Amino acid sequence: MGILLIWSLVLFLIKWIACKRRGAISYDSSDQTALYIRMLGSCVIFKQLSTRDVRVRSRAGFVSERRGSHPYIDFRILHSQSETDVPLSARNIRRLLSFQRYMRSSLFFRGIAAQNSLYILDDDYNGQAKCMLEKVGNWNFDIFLFDRLTNGNSLVNLTFHLLNQHGLIEHFNLDMVKLRRFLVMVQEDYHSQNPYHNAVHAADVTQAMYCYLREHKLAKTFTQWDVLVGLIAAATHDLDHPGVNQLFLIKTNHYLASLYNNTSVLENHHWRSAVGLLRESGLFAHLPLQDRQQMESQLGCLILATDISRQNEYLSQFRIHLDKGDLHLDNADHRLFILQMALKCADICNPCRTWELSKQWSEKVTEEFFHQGDVERKYRLDVSPLCDRHKEKIYDIQIGFITYLVEPLFVEWARFSNTRLSQTMLGHVGLNKASWKGMQQEQSSSGDDTLPQKDRIP
Ligand SMILES: *[C@@H]1O[C@H](CO)[C@@H](O)[C@H](O)[C@H]1NC(C)=O
Ligand SMILES: *[C@@H]1O[C@H](CO)[C@@H](O)[C@H](O)[C@H]1NC(C)=O
Ligand SMILES: *[C@@H]1O[C@H](CO)[C@@H](O)[C@H](O)[C@H]1NC(C)=O
Ligand SMILES: [Zn+2]
């Protein structure tokens, strides 16, 4: 989701400005805008690919970058990874990441993984999973439970079910075998060892996307094609996420950073990985070339929109449309724009869920940040903002995230789609933020003495 990088930077800069003001913390909106602009200033403005661009690229032999295309494996890393603890250079970390990716994507390892997960599913679990799917449009849907009941196959099961239920398999004459194969490949290309950016997050975002697609305004106007693009984009939007942020990839000279010119590095990679899997599976091979190209470029529009560093661009565009009241959903470009906004909402909707679900997501994302920080410390790199487990607090991270990214987005979404669901989501955001604030106050009033030993700064 790309959230890791810039959001970290936002909070870091906000803190920095607050410090410069000697603690006079006043985050007015102009500050915030200035921060975003400063951050975005260093980014290349993304030029949206038109269908023609894609065609030119494909003709010029645009090769998808996934799958064994970077097999520069240094086998010493495999050995040094075990206890021996040989200090690795940043260059070696880069190789390690490529290596892991190569291992996971090689057919050999894929076969082994498949064998290991051949459990005989308890009929009862299967029945309960099916039962849950009847309420898949509920905002309270518990994706963690569903993932357990499906033996870790939530993304495959949920996406297949939604495509089927929407009549998309029939409408686009999709081959069930190819579809399952595609979805299994998608699920396996998520890193299950990532605490947050794994297939369960993708399944959660897909479920949220489905809830938004069911909203009156969208359900009334969106075509089968729109729904297909929206669901596939949601399922693939974080494909092959390495569990570290863009900043990490840049500072370790990871090949993806140079491949994508330090810009929306992860999102570009998710998109190209999705395109690679689509082509490999042949899921849409029976559709006209133009449709396939349109699918690929629209997936790009949607997935690249999840780069959180570009949120203000999308949000101000959204505001302008809402102020003018000029969104016409019979216009395909406007529908695509709403799909982008819906995917952005789905991607950061964790704080809009019930506390029980929301809290689990917060813990997972914090764990992933802190893990990155641990790796950085271990290899003597600067510990990235929000990634230092000795300094950062989960409630501070969440309060900042909610205040600067989630609330502004969902307030506009509720203006666009003023429904019960939107009100429910805003309600949860408010309650969850209050809960985190409660913890923050508890900590500040009880003082550092109550900190457990392991959390103390050495
Ligand atoms: C979930 O997927 C597994 C493996 O593809 C399949 O055996 C099971 O029947 C599916 N369950 C549901 C509820 O669709
Ligand atoms: C990406 O950023 C790094 C670090 O700032 C820099 O060394 C590198 O040249 C940049 N690469 C590109 C392609 O801009
Ligand atoms: C890469 O980024 C630099 C500035 O950051 C820009 O000058 C250059 O044109 C970009 N190259 C590509 C291929 O996007
Ligand atoms: Zn995401």
Side-chain angles (χ1 to χ4, degrees):
M1 87 178 149
I3 229 171
L4 302 174
L5 163 68
I6 303 289
W7 164 38
S8 313
L9 283 180
V10 177
L11 294 188
F12 177 73
L13 286 172
I14 286 167
K15 282 185 181 173
W16 177 68
I17 283 187
C19 285
K20 279 191 63 153
R21 291 180 169 185
R22 297 176 168 206
I25 301 176
S26 81
Y27 305 146
D28 64 51
S29 60
S30 60
D31 268 354
Q32 226 205 313
T33 309
L35 285 171
Y36 277 107
I37 288 170
R38 203 173 322 155
M39 284 170 348
L40 294 173
S42 61
C43 296
V44 185
I45 302 297
F46 167 62
K47 205 168 123 272
Q48 203 164 313
L49 278 177
S50 70
T51 315
R52 199 182 304 140
D53 289 329
V54 170
R55 199 171 300 138
V56 169
R57 282 169 154 228
S58 348
R59 230 190 277 128
F62 187 105
V63 181
S64 106
E65 40 101 346
R66 58 164 269 104
R67 201 121 322 175
S69 48
H70 305 278
Y72 38 88
I73 304 165
D74 182 347
F75 281 99
R76 281 168 302 179
I77 291 190
L78 237 201
H79 306 302
S80 63
Q81 204 190 2
S82 60
E83 320 81 68
T84 43
D85 213 25
V86 176
L88 295 183
S89 67
R91 198 164 123 265
N92 284 340
I93 296 175
R94 181 185 77 216
R95 289 185 171 177
L96 178 61
L97 289 173
S98 320
F99 177 71
Q100 285 173 337
R101 177 165 165 276
Y102 179 79
M103 293 288 266
R104 281 185 325 93
S105 58
S106 80
L107 289 171
F108 174 67
F109 275 87
R110 190 166 273 184
I112 288 192
Q115 267 177 13
N116 284 345
S117 60
L118 264 188
Y119 298 112
I120 294 173
L121 268 191
D122 193 296
D123 281 347
D124 192 36
Y125 282 180
N126 226 330
Q128 288 182 56
K130 288 215 169 81
C131 193
M132 281 192 78
L133 282 176
E134 284 166 23
K135 294 183 177 172
V136 69
N138 259 353
W139 190 247
N140 293 339
F141 189 83
D142 184 342
I143 195 71
F144 299 114
L145 175 59
F146 184 70
D147 194 62
R148 287 195 294 275
L149 293 175
T150 55
N151 195 28
N153 287 301
S154 55
L155 185 56
V156 174
N157 278 240
L158 186 102
T159 313
F160 189 91
H161 175 81
L162 294 179
L163 294 174
N164 193 26
Q165 177 173 289
H166 239 280
L168 296 167
I169 298 180
E170 204 181 357
H171 188 270
F172 293 103
N173 203 12
L174 301 182
D175 180 320
M176 298 265 224
V177 176
K178 284 181 183 170
L179 177 58
R180 275 214 184 267
R181 185 160 169 262
F182 169 70
L183 293 175
V184 168
M185 286 196 293
V186 168
Q187 185 175 274
E188 286 184 356
D189 268 11
Y190 281 94
H191 301 201
S192 57
Q193 69 272 32
N194 288 348
Y196 184 86
H197 286 105
N198 52 45
V200 186
H201 165 64
D204 181 55
V205 170
T206 308
Q207 193 269 339
M209 188 68 165
Y210 174 71
C211 293
Y212 302 151
L213 289 169
R214 271 163 47 103
E215 293 281 80
H216 181 66
K217 263 192 183 170
L218 287 75
K220 200 173 63 176
T221 51
F222 277 35
T223 63
Q224 292 285 70
W225 176 266
D226 299 327
V227 176
L228 181 68
V229 175
L231 291 175
I232 291 186
T236 59
H237 83 283
D238 272 331
L239 206 52
D240 200 30
H241 196 296
V244 290
N245 63 23
Q246 171 172 281
L247 183 58
F248 185 96
L249 298 181
I250 291 175
K251 69 186 178 189
T252 58
N253 297 317
H254 194 273
Y255 70 91
L256 288 175
S258 46
L259 184 59
Y260 297 118
N261 205 11
N262 293 351
T263 308
S264 296
V265 172
L266 287 167
E267 294 75 17
N268 271 298
H269 178 62
H270 304 320
W271 171 38
R272 296 317 307 179
S273 302
V275 167
L277 286 187
L278 270 182
R279 292 182 187 177
E280 188 176 330
S281 68
L283 180 61
F284 297 132
H286 61 294
L287 297 182
L289 180 63
Q290 210 179 349
D291 290 358
R292 275 180 277 149
Q293 284 167 342
Q294 193 181 20
M295 171 62 70
E296 292 182 3
S297 75
Q298 291 191 349
L299 281 179
C301 287
L302 266 66
I303 294 173
L304 290 171
T306 63
D307 181 346
I308 206 73
S309 71
R310 304 187 62 231
Q311 166 143 324
N312 261 15
E313 287 171 52
Y314 289 94
L315 206 50
S316 52
Q317 227 180 314
F318 200 23
R319 281 195 190 111
I320 291 169
H321 279 307
L322 293 171
D323 290 345
K324 288 191 190 158
D326 67 354
L327 280 171
H328 301 294
L329 296 184
D330 48 358
N331 175 329
D333 289 340
H334 288 188
R335 290 201 304 275
L336 190 60
F337 178 65
I338 292 305
L339 275 178
Q340 289 177 313
M341 297 311 297
L343 182 59
K344 285 176 59 52
C345 287
D347 194 24
I348 61 169
C349 75
N350 294 162
C352 304
R353 302 281 191 177
T354 61
W355 172 250
E356 288 314 313
L357 296 172
S358 179
K359 182 166 150 280
Q360 293 183 65
W361 290 120
S362 305
E363 286 162 356
K364 285 168 192 293
V365 82
T366 309
E367 198 184 329
E368 197 168 297
F369 287 160
F370 287 173
H371 180 256
Q372 175 177 330
D374 294 344
V375 173
E376 289 168 335
R377 201 175 300 109
K378 184 169 174 195
Y379 298 111
R380 290 159 201 232
L381 300 161
D382 291 338
V383 176
S384 297
L386 302 190
C387 295
D388 192 336
R389 69 172 72 245
H390 303 306
K391 292 187 185 142
E392 304 292 342
K393 292 285 170 238
I394 186 169
Y395 42 76
D396 293 330
I397 298 176
Q398 287 304 311
I399 293 167
F401 176 48
I402 291 174
T403 307
Y404 299 109
L405 293 167
V406 180
E407 282 176 341
L409 179 61
F410 281 88
V411 163
E412 300 305 323
W413 180 262
R415 269 177 81 199
F416 166 70
S417 173
N418 191 3
T419 60
R420 232 175 81 179
L421 174 58
S422 293
Q423 294 312 320
T424 301
M425 293 194 295
L426 286 174
H428 286 313
V429 175
L431 290 171
N432 293 334
K433 186 171 161 183
S435 297
W436 294 118
K437 282 198 162 168
M439 288 186 203
Q440 191 182 45
Q441 271 156 18
E442 222 171 272
Q443 278 294 328
S444 63
S445 60
S446 62
D448 281 355
D449 286 346
T450 58
L451 281 179
Q453 203 67 35
K454 66 180 164 68
D455 283 342
R456 282 206 189 152
I457 297 163

